[in-house]
Amino acid sequence: MQIISDVLALIVAIEALFIMILEMFFSRTKMAQKAFDLSMEYLFTPETKISMANQGLYNGFIGVGIILTMFVLPQSIATFNLYLFIGFVVVAAIFGGLTANKKIIITQGLPAALALISLIITNNI
């Protein structure tokens, strides 16, 4: 079960890093338009570019935090940190799904929720 938890946590981290790259560096592309369901006109406003870069930075923090937690921190601290970072993603996905785009609950929330459930089962909490 530990392997499943690790794989799911890595999926959450990789997705967060992918979103960071998309929001910070490729926010004015067709891929961003499709991923975020936004018009190209909106994506090309200066305010949008700044806002998306800021959001991307936070996604990057989450992704890097999960990876550092998994590969650098001792297990006694890592488990708590994984709950924290993956819990942040679950909460952000629920909030984003309710306020911005419902598909966020599935695209970001589902992998994070599965990772969180797997962590709970693996750690017998």
Side-chain angles (χ1 to χ4, degrees):
M1 192 69 188
Q2 183 66 48
I3 293 171
I4 294 170
S5 291
D6 289 346
V7 168
L8 289 169
L10 274 175
I11 288 170
V12 174
I14 291 166
E15 182 180 31
L17 292 171
F18 173 76
I19 292 168
M20 176 201 74
I21 291 166
L22 190 58
E23 288 178 333
M24 291 186 79
F25 306 110
F26 299 102
S27 63
R28 294 178 171 177
T29 64
K30 290 275 187 199
M31 183 184 284
Q33 180 185 22
K34 184 177 179 188
F36 305 123
D37 288 332
L38 299 170
S39 71
M40 288 305 276
E41 295 79 23
Y42 180 75
L43 291 175
F44 272 87
T45 62
E47 297 85 5
T48 300
K49 183 167 179 57
I50 293 167
S51 293
M52 289 186 77
N54 191 12
Q55 289 170 203
L57 186 62
Y58 286 99
N59 274 294
F61 291 155
I62 295 291
V64 169
I66 292 169
I67 290 170
L68 286 176
T69 293
M70 293 180 71
F71 296 108
V72 175
L73 295 180
Q75 186 63 38
S76 60
I77 299 170
T79 301
F80 173 79
N81 277 14
L82 284 175
Y83 285 127
L84 183 67
F85 282 115
I86 293 173
F88 287 160
V89 176
V90 170
V91 171
I94 292 168
F95 184 78
L98 293 172
T99 60
N101 187 327
K102 293 196 185 324
K103 78 177 186 178
I104 294 172
I105 292 174
I106 300 299
T107 58
Q108 283 184 275
L110 183 59
L114 292 174
L116 195 57
I117 290 166
S118 181
L119 281 168
I120 291 167
I121 291 169
T122 300
N123 293 291
N124 298 316
I125 291 182

